[in-house]
Amino acid sequence: MSSPQQKKKHLYVSTDKHRWWKEAVVYQVYPASFKDTNGDGWGDVPGITEKLDYLKDLGVDVIWVSPIYKSPQADMGYDIADYEDIDPSYGTLQDVDNLIKEIKKRDMKLVMDLVVNHTSEEHAWFLDSRSSKESSKRDWYIWKPAKYDADGNRQPPNNWAQILGEANSAWTWDEKTQEYYLSLFTPEQPDLNWENPAVREAVHDVLRFWLDRGVSGFRMDVINLISKVQSFGDAEIKVEDNKYQPGDKFYANGPRLHEFLKEINRKVLSKYDTLTVGEMPFVRDEDEIIRVVGAENEELNMIFAFDIVDIDNVPGDFKYTLHPWDARDLKEIINRLQRLMLERDGWNSIFIENHDQPRSVSRYTDDSDEFREYGARLLCLMQTTLAGTMYVYQGEEIGMRNVPPSWEPSEYKDIESVNFFKKYQDMYSGNEEKQALARKIMQKKSRDNARTPVQWTAEPHAGFTSANAKPWMRVNDDYKTVNAKAQLDNANPSPGYLSVHAFWKRGLEYRKENKDVFVYGDFEVLDLEDKKVVAYKRWSEKNAFVTVLNFSGENVAWDKLGDLKVKKWVAGNYDETEIDSKAKSGTLDLRPWEALLGLVE
Ligand code: NOJ
């Protein structure tokens, strides 16, 4: 195999395109489950402030906080009733000012979650809009008359399914004004009408409000759904046994998306120095992605692409499905997105966890007691050696797991899980096999997996809240062994091994020391065909590295290093005192879930 440097032009990101937000390590806080300081069993803003030194020590530069605004919490704060106030359950605006001050003191930054595809049904705008057809805010939301079927029964304006409750319509009937409003996620989250310039201006003001208060950017919730195809037609029937259908063709990257994003950029973002990351579900089209994140395009810095976190969904079906995958699928995605951004001057976000996804160690590796730590370190090595802005989700740095399979469905709190389980109960009542399948899918895919309280210590409730409080969500049963304190107290549990936390800390540090390679360098995947191993080369003018990851629980003799010669293995998830005995060329013997990083010639 000829070396990649010989066969093509080097694609390093040139230094004039280096930016702080490309090099930053972003840590996502899901505030309800992060740290409770007032003993009500619900995390709060002072809890985030309390843990800043922990985050700084880990290597975090930017903290993204999921919504803490005033909210009835129908969707855990992604239903906002007031964009310019904090929900009392989290604290006050003064607490946020103090958080910002303390963050800045530590030379870090704060990024807020901007949820403007929809509001809460309790937002003053919507209360006004639904008060009468004549309301001046009526067209701030999307209202349509009913349709009637052949039997004269009232039906929603089209067949789109609700995103967080696929058995239901995306439209909600309003008794008072006798029309439907669009509510893509849940009835409590009416969609804003972005066609209306007054709505857009109000959103711009929200951005300014927070930027002027000292925040450094936004994670923009489902930002690619803000422009809808105005015909509001029926979606194609894809899921036979469901009355309502995925409607994303009509609202993901709709006709005016880029215009709206450019407008935000021109009127607001261009006047500040910000990090912007758009959550962009459903979209795979490369031109569409580059239109948003291409450096020339002046829309957003980067997006969350869903390819990796959708890897185990049945294509075309809803998310609560199980689909087999192997290392080839993962390599195809990584290769495609890494190359795309290099070749077309875009920018990646590197993430495999967040509050909407199961825990990565359970999902992509093996979370048994035997392999959990190996799996967590493997995933760390993968992420810290890929190009893009690095995102770590709370608890990922200690290898937190999914909830145990033994938990009853009543432990699952999330509206999406609740709706999914109800669908199976309604559709397959009395069918034990289907009920068991529903439980299995929930345990593997549910968002609740990521929402259990962070395990800080081995004390009651994992130290998340005071001993006599009741956490809003049950703590994972494994907290006595899986917790931050145990890993901090014992960073080197046995010779040659680092705790998952220590491995992350070192990985983030190493990434920064070698940012010319890991953040800005070129990329080439090795061996797309192997079903078990993911491997790639990263390099700059100065240095080159190879990452080799055995995504299987088996021993693998991997012989695709080709003409790459390892000078030195620099990190591994097994005993590092023996790492030097690993082969440096030819065939590499990999143990189950083994991960290696090597400096190459
Ligand atoms: C994406 C958020 O991450 C998720 O938690 C939420 O339910 C939906 N958007 C709706 O806001």
Side-chain angles (χ1 to χ4, degrees):
M1 197 179 92
S2 69
S3 130
Q5 285 106 317
Q6 285 158 11
K7 55 180 195 221
K8 64 170 185 279
K9 203 170 147 261
H10 305 316
L11 285 171
Y12 321 127
V13 177
S14 63
T15 43
D16 62 315
K17 297 208 162 171
H18 289 195
R19 297 284 179 274
W20 66 264
W21 46 263
K22 295 185 177 178
E23 297 168 21
V25 171
V26 185
Y27 186 95
Q28 182 191 355
V29 168
Y30 192 67
S33 303
F34 189 64
K35 179 73 175 88
D36 173 29
T37 59
N38 64 2
D40 64 357
W42 178 268
D44 45 41
V45 175
I48 308 173
T49 313
E50 189 184 297
K51 293 292 179 187
L52 289 180
D53 289 332
Y54 167 85
L55 297 176
K56 180 76 187 171
D57 174 67
L58 177 64
V60 170
D61 306 297
V62 175
I63 299 164
W64 148 32
V65 183
S66 277
I68 48 177
Y69 316 93
K70 205 158 181 284
S71 163
Q73 309 292 340
D75 184 20
M76 291 298 293
Y78 283 89
D79 47 321
I80 297 172
D82 185 344
Y83 289 104
E84 299 183 357
D85 204 358
I86 299 303
D87 197 82
S89 60
Y90 288 119
T92 61
L93 269 174
Q94 283 65 45
D95 290 330
V96 176
D97 289 342
N98 186 48
L99 174 67
I100 295 175
K101 193 178 93 211
E102 292 298 322
I103 284 180
K104 290 197 167 155
K105 234 195 237 172
R106 291 165 179 80
D107 203 20
M108 299 195 282
K109 296 179 196 294
L110 178 66
V111 158
M112 295 290 269
D113 214 308
L114 185 80
V115 188
V116 288
N117 172 68
H118 44 268
T119 67
S120 159
E121 60 169 352
E122 292 186 16
H123 196 290
W125 300 340
F126 188 69
L127 294 178
D128 192 335
S129 183
R130 80 181 319 174
S131 65
S132 102
K133 278 187 179 156
E134 280 68 52
S135 153
S136 60
K137 294 233 165 23
R138 186 67 172 178
D139 64 352
W140 280 47
Y141 293 84
I142 302 169
W143 293 94
K144 297 279 171 220
K147 275 190 176 167
Y148 290 88
D149 64 20
D151 301 325
N153 298 316
R154 192 189 70 227
Q155 297 294 339
N158 64 30
N159 68 351
W160 302 352
Q162 219 181 80
I163 296 176
L164 300 182
E166 65 211 36
N168 311 319
S169 164
W171 297 87
T172 306
W173 178 247
D174 179 52
E175 208 43 60
K176 182 167 180 212
T177 59
Q178 296 282 300
E179 275 189 327
Y180 281 95
Y181 61 87
L182 183 65
S183 49
L184 285 182
F185 287 89
T186 68
E188 291 82 7
Q189 294 162 291
D191 283 58
L192 282 163
N193 176 18
W194 276 68
E195 300 293 314
N196 183 342
V199 167
R200 306 205 295 275
E201 271 162 38
V203 168
H204 300 162
D205 284 342
V206 171
L207 275 99
R208 287 187 197 102
F209 176 87
W210 287 105
L211 290 167
D212 292 339
R213 232 179 163 98
V215 318
S216 302
F218 300 96
R219 174 269 187 186
M220 302 187 173
D221 189 71
V222 292
I223 199 67
N224 64 324
L225 308 192
I226 58 179
S227 163
K228 280 89 178 171
V229 175
Q230 293 298 301
S231 60
F232 293 95
D234 276 334
E236 185 191 332
I237 310 248
K238 283 200 173 151
V239 189
E240 290 293 343
D241 58 357
N242 211 63
K243 178 167 179 196
Y244 301 105
Q245 298 296 317
D248 51 282
K249 292 277 168 308
F250 289 84
Y251 51 71
N253 287 49
R256 298 183 69 189
L257 173 69
H258 303 291
E259 175 194 337
F260 296 158
L261 290 179
K262 283 193 162 59
E263 184 180 47
I264 296 179
N265 194 307
R266 193 178 64 251
K267 294 195 171 158
V268 187
L269 298 172
S270 59
K271 309 203 180 342
Y272 300 81
D273 181 20
T274 56
L275 178 156
T276 51
V277 50
E279 190 201 21
M280 273 193 31
F282 306 115
V283 174
R284 299 286 185 271
D285 183 282
E286 295 189 354
D287 291 337
E288 269 306 302
I289 293 172
I290 291 298
R291 284 180 79 182
V292 178
V293 305
E296 303 286 284
N297 289 332
E298 301 185 328
E299 292 191 9
L300 302 177
N301 295 155
M302 63 194 116
I303 63 162
F304 290 134
F306 274 59
D307 306 63
I308 293 184
V309 296
D310 282 349
I311 200 167
D312 53 4
N313 297 359
V314 171
D317 206 329
F318 297 106
K319 163 181 164 186
Y320 277 60
T321 50
L322 298 174
H323 183 65
W325 63 276
D326 63 36
R328 289 171 302 182
D329 304 293
L330 191 54
K331 267 180 292 196
E332 184 280 319
I333 297 169
I334 292 176
N335 183 41
R336 175 163 44 79
L337 289 173
Q338 292 280 300
R339 298 294 319 161
L340 172 69
M341 300 308 179
L342 275 166
E343 284 162 15
R344 299 183 63 183
D345 197 11
W347 197 249
N348 273 307
S349 312
I350 303 301
F351 79 102
I352 52 173
E353 276 193 30
N354 62 40
H355 63 292
D356 293 333
Q357 302 298 333
R359 289 292 182 177
S360 57
V361 72
S362 304
R363 188 181 206 179
Y364 303 103
T365 65
D366 177 346
D367 70 359
S368 64
D369 287 343
E370 189 182 358
F371 287 117
R372 181 188 62 88
E373 291 169 282
Y374 294 96
R377 289 188 292 249
L378 172 146
L379 294 169
C380 167
L381 205 60
M382 174 177 89
Q383 296 181 87
T384 50
T385 57
L386 287 172
T389 300
M390 190 54 251
Y391 288 80
V392 185
Y393 178 67
Q394 65 181 38
E396 185 178 3
E397 79 279 16
I398 56 168
M400 277 178 66
R401 296 181 166 105
N402 276 1
V403 305
S406 58
W407 280 18
E408 289 301 318
S410 58
E411 302 288 357
Y412 292 74
K413 305 285 177 236
D414 175 30
I415 182 74
E416 189 185 38
S417 309
V418 170
N419 281 338
F420 165 75
F421 198 64
K422 182 168 181 311
K423 170 182 158 177
Y424 263 60
Q425 283 183 313
D426 293 349
M427 272 174 75
Y428 307 111
S429 96
N431 181 335
E432 278 180 28
E433 214 176 293
K434 287 284 191 190
Q435 298 311 320
L437 176 65
R439 286 178 73 141
K440 179 175 169 191
I441 296 179
M442 278 222 291
Q443 195 272 334
K444 294 208 172 303
K445 302 295 276 286
S446 154
R447 312 198 291 186
D448 295 272
N449 284 308
R451 299 178 179 191
T452 59
V454 171
Q455 294 160 208
W456 294 108
T457 68
E459 284 157 32
H461 310 314
F464 158 71
T465 182
S466 41
N468 54 1
K470 185 171 175 348
W472 74 276
M473 185 173 184
R474 183 170 164 181
V475 175
N476 196 315
D477 304 355
D478 64 10
Y479 72 91
K480 292 215 167 112
T481 48
V482 182
N483 65 70
K485 183 165 189 305
Q487 299 187 22
L488 286 164
D489 288 352
N490 202 358
N492 245 145
S494 51
Y497 286 91
L498 291 178
S499 70
V500 175
H501 180 277
F503 198 86
W504 264 104
K505 183 173 165 178
R506 190 189 65 180
L508 294 173
E509 213 172 87
Y510 202 66
R511 175 180 178 82
K512 285 184 187 165
E513 281 165 16
N514 295 282
K515 64 180 182 187
D516 56 309
V517 177
F518 298 127
V519 179
Y520 294 120
D522 206 339
F523 172 93
E524 183 168 277
V525 73
L526 305 176
D527 186 14
L528 271 171
E529 300 311 320
D530 193 277
K531 286 186 196 163
K532 296 190 177 128
V533 177
V534 171
Y536 45 84
K537 181 178 173 183
R538 300 293 321 278
W539 70 98
S540 72
E541 282 148 321
K542 285 196 281 185
N543 271 325
F545 289 88
V546 64
T547 303
V548 183
L549 312 161
N550 178 8
F551 268 88
S552 87
E554 286 150 42
N555 290 309
V556 178
W558 187 70
D559 62 0
K560 295 293 185 311
L561 269 175
D563 61 2
L564 285 185
K565 293 218 170 13
V566 176
K567 272 198 270 191
K568 188 177 182 237
W569 291 110
V570 293
N573 61 351
Y574 276 75
D575 184 351
E576 290 186 339
T577 60
E578 291 176 353
I579 206 169
D580 202 40
S581 63
K582 300 290 306 182
K584 303 209 172 61
S585 61
T587 300
L588 197 50
D589 288 321
L590 297 168
R591 289 164 283 188
W593 307 106
E594 183 159 10
L596 288 163
L597 176 66
L599 195 59
V600 291
E601 286 172 4

